[in-house]
Amino acid sequence: MTDKTYGFETLSVHAGAAPDPATGARALPIYQTTAYVFEDADQAAALFNLQTVGFIYSRLTNPTNAALEARLATLEGGRGCTVASSGHAAQVLALFPLMAPGAEIVASSRLYGGSLQQMRNTYPKFGWTAKIVDADDPENFKRAVTPNTKAFFIESLANPGGVISDIEAIARIAEAAGVPLLVDNTLATPWLCKPIEYGATLIVHSTTKFLSGTGTSMGGAVVDSGQFDWAKSGKFPSLAGPEPAYHGLNFFESFGDMAYTFHSHAVGLRDLGPSQAPFNAWLTMLGIETLGLRMERHCANAQKVAEYLARHPAVAWVNYAGLPDNKYHQLARKYLPKGAGSIFTFGVKGGYDVGIKVVDSVELFSHLANIGDAKSLIIHPASTTHRQLSDEQRVAAGAGPDVLRLSIGIETVDDIIADLEQALKKATS
Ligand SMILES: Cc1ncc(COP(=O)(O)O)c(C=O)c1O
């Protein structure tokens, strides 16, 4: 397929998955194999030398995963992609070629709580430091830059607060600092926003969410724009110098705009090992076929549910960027013109006790710790995901006692609203 001439929905169905040349199978086969027979000793040597592209061992590459990688790179407008076992694995994999002990990243304070936890408490064990800044003012990124800064990290649309980052402004500051901008595009998906068009270098995903779409498969992905000059600043020796982890190969000199993706497979997946199971890649490929249809419905439903809640007497506030009085509404219009996503928080009058009663009273919604499923989901963060924090920390994280997080599914919107109506009634009566 010549990708450039097709629309998003066409590419969602076709990119990366031509009929199987061996059998004619129209659906993508699941290559459930750990290894691949070499043609002869010369071909084996060429594969190990990265002189030819092919399959050696499924920790590094697998044809089903490769199809998903091609599809995600196409949908994000990137050059290459590496899939991983989870979103969190993808984040480590994404930073790995850039970082070394003593290296720093600058990250938004509004990231998904699990990402902040990873950055604050686990990255230091690798000798990496994350400086956490308020991304509402892009200049905070500039202020945090030091000679050791290797990357900026933001979410296009943050989980759960509906916070939208000014990608273009932050990308400009990253460019001036000579570092790549990484954007977690999990909540927006490329259907709503393509951060590479605004200057992002690397996109990370938890494919666990909207991309797989039905709550079946853990997975992650890193997409490289292929546009960053890894040699210019001298800050990225693993990519643009002799890489000791691959017998001194200079990836940037050898592979140009595919250097980052080759490194992620040949060194990142090889040495860290967080490979995606081919069955999960296959389920995610199926999910992506309907991404545009689902996102359209997710966003339309979420908009109606947010408007309903904003009028409800038992509701204190609603934090959804699709509402005109929301702080991020203008940024939503710029970066998410097709809709403000389907995940948002709201506060109930009556605080913690009412919040608990709502999650215990819903019937259609599932009370669980996930987002981006076709089914509507709800959680009360203060009593679950954020319960280990102090009261002050919970409020700072947007998980105060009254907060409920919704992930609005694709069911009939009247049924979603009716379920919330009866749950709010029970909880407040
Ligand atoms: C925005 C975001 N990024 C990354 C992750 C981590 O993804 P995973 O759970 O697939 O490791 C999550 C999980 O909820 C998320 O919401």
Side-chain angles (χ1 to χ4, degrees):
M1 274 181 87
T2 47
D3 295 343
K4 292 229 161 52
T5 57
Y6 292 103
F8 188 93
E9 286 74 13
T10 310
L11 294 170
S12 300
V13 174
H14 291 280
D20 181 40
T23 62
R26 188 61 194 88
L28 173 71
I30 306 171
Y31 287 90
Q32 192 65 33
T33 182
T34 48
Y36 309 82
V37 177
F38 303 123
E39 285 164 22
D40 53 34
D42 284 346
Q43 191 232 3
L47 283 167
F48 278 94
N49 283 342
L50 300 181
Q51 286 160 339
T52 185
V53 178
F55 301 101
I56 299 175
Y57 187 62
S58 284
R59 173 156 32 85
L60 283 67
T61 44
N62 170 284
T64 312
N65 293 16
L68 175 57
E69 290 167 343
R71 182 165 295 177
L72 286 172
T74 301
L75 294 181
E76 285 287 3
R79 182 70 183 94
C81 171
T82 311
V83 292
S85 54
S86 69
H88 267 3
Q91 288 169 204
V92 176
L93 196 67
L95 288 170
F96 182 64
L98 318 177
M99 303 294 278
E104 299 170 0
I105 63 167
V106 186
S108 162
S109 58
R110 309 302 176 84
L111 296 180
Y112 159 60
S115 302
L116 287 174
Q117 143 68 28
Q118 192 187 40
M119 290 181 185
R120 285 190 173 122
N121 300 314
T122 294
Y123 288 177
K125 295 183 182 175
F126 306 153
W128 306 351
T129 304
K131 289 191 173 171
I132 310 294
V133 301
D134 182 351
D136 281 357
D137 180 0
E139 291 296 310
N140 285 336
F141 283 83
K142 195 189 279 177
R143 292 182 197 109
V145 169
T146 76
N148 294 328
T149 305
K150 306 287 185 180
F152 291 176
F153 195 113
I154 61 172
E155 267 173 68
S156 45
L157 172 63
N159 173 15
V163 174
I164 297 168
S165 298
D166 191 344
I167 304 169
E168 206 164 21
I170 298 169
R172 268 198 302 270
I173 297 170
E175 193 183 1
V179 300
L181 170 64
L182 280 75
V183 179
D184 182 339
N185 202 29
T186 299
L187 264 65
T189 81
W191 190 78
L192 284 175
C193 178
K194 292 190 188 186
I196 289 173
E197 290 177 357
Y198 299 103
T201 299
L202 297 164
I203 309 301
V204 291
H205 275 285
S206 166
T207 61
T208 315
K209 318 297 182 194
F210 293 102
L211 294 174
S212 70
T214 47
T216 57
S217 316
M218 297 299 298
V222 189
V223 176
D224 176 29
S225 66
Q227 289 166 15
F228 196 85
D229 182 344
W230 299 109
K232 195 172 167 191
S233 67
K235 277 173 172 273
F236 304 104
S238 284
L239 291 164
E243 169 58 287
Y246 216 91
H247 52 75
L249 183 69
N250 183 320
F251 279 77
F252 194 45
E253 229 168 62
S254 306
F255 306 114
D257 62 5
M258 282 299 281
Y260 180 91
T261 299
F262 271 50
H263 191 282
S264 292
H265 284 86
V267 182
L269 284 179
R270 185 197 63 186
D271 292 353
L272 300 174
S275 324
Q276 187 167 134
F279 185 52
N280 286 22
W282 183 80
L283 285 168
T284 304
M285 283 292 274
L286 280 190
I288 293 173
E289 289 190 2
T290 57
L291 179 66
L293 289 173
R294 284 185 288 108
M295 289 308 290
E296 203 171 341
R297 175 65 78 88
H298 275 298
C299 293
N301 280 0
Q303 182 72 35
K304 286 185 190 147
V305 173
E307 286 167 7
Y308 152 77
L309 288 172
R311 291 190 302 268
H312 199 289
V315 171
W317 52 267
V318 179
N319 197 1
Y320 183 61
L323 297 176
D325 61 350
N326 185 272
K327 181 177 175 192
Y328 300 99
H329 189 64
Q330 287 313 319
L331 285 172
R333 289 178 65 139
K334 170 170 179 179
Y335 291 110
L336 311 164
K338 289 193 276 189
S342 89
I343 290 142
F344 63 93
T345 51
F346 72 98
V348 280
K349 292 179 186 162
Y352 193 94
D353 292 339
V354 174
I356 295 271
K357 281 188 199 147
V358 172
V359 294
D360 277 343
S361 304
V362 287
E363 292 168 6
L364 187 66
F365 275 79
S366 301
H367 176 203
L368 55 73
N370 191 23
I371 52 169
D373 196 322
K375 302 164 218 39
S376 288
L377 314 174
I378 188 167
I379 199 160
H380 179 241
S383 61
T384 54
T385 49
H386 291 67
R387 68 176 295 126
Q388 318 300 346
L389 303 183
S390 67
D391 289 349
E392 297 75 42
Q393 284 173 328
R394 274 198 284 268
V395 171
D402 60 335
V403 177
L404 287 159
R405 182 187 75 190
L406 300 179
S407 173
I408 301 297
I410 60 172
E411 302 97 332
T412 310
V413 71
D414 292 346
D415 295 334
I416 299 173
I417 290 174
D419 194 34
L420 288 171
E421 178 72 26
Q422 66 79 25
L424 283 165
K425 197 169 170 191
K426 263 190 212 153
T428 49
S429 63

